[in-house]
Amino acid sequence: MIQLVVSILLFFVLFFGIAFILNMLLRQSWLMAFIYPIIVLLIVDDIPFKEYFTNTGSAFQALGDRLVGLTIVDIVILVSGFIGTIVSGIVIRMLRKNGYQMF
């Protein structure tokens, strides 16, 4: 149980920080929220990236099988990372609205 709580906090803080820095540097508040699903696919899947271009059918079939096979715990941890990216976008927008300029 403690591992679940630590994993949730870790993913939230990790992706909040990454999204905050990307938002600050690129001035795109929601960029990481759009990139996050791709990152999740790379985390979940164990097939090499080039396999999606060379053997497309079986690569996407394996990806679908892996996504369907996720447990509730895995989904909660991955969703906490997505919530971290959303909160980062909200915080950046609030800071910019209040007059703070980053870079």
Side-chain angles (χ1 to χ4, degrees):
M1 184 64 177
I2 190 75
Q3 293 92 353
L4 176 63
V5 174
V6 169
S7 297
I8 290 171
L9 286 173
L10 180 66
F11 264 66
F12 180 85
V13 170
L14 179 73
F15 283 104
F16 176 88
I18 292 170
F20 190 86
I21 291 171
L22 277 177
N23 290 337
M24 187 172 53
L25 293 174
L26 300 176
R27 296 182 184 228
Q28 300 289 325
S29 297
W30 304 110
L31 178 68
M32 190 62 183
F34 293 114
I35 294 174
Y36 186 76
I38 297 168
I39 294 171
V40 167
L41 294 178
L42 292 174
I43 290 172
V44 170
D45 200 14
D46 59 352
I47 296 175
F49 188 70
K50 69 175 184 168
E51 198 74 22
Y52 287 102
F53 299 105
T54 59
N55 196 359
T56 307
S58 65
F60 280 107
Q61 179 67 32
L63 175 62
D65 292 341
R66 293 287 299 233
L67 287 175
V68 170
L70 289 177
T71 63
I72 296 296
V73 173
D74 296 329
I75 293 170
V76 168
I77 292 170
L78 293 172
V79 166
S80 71
F82 184 66
I83 292 171
T85 63
I86 298 297
V87 171
S88 171
I90 293 169
V91 168
I92 281 286
R93 292 197 83 152
M94 288 175 48
L95 287 172
R96 288 190 183 131
K97 181 180 170 187
N98 291 331
Y100 291 97
Q101 292 181 346
M102 287 71 71
F103 296 99

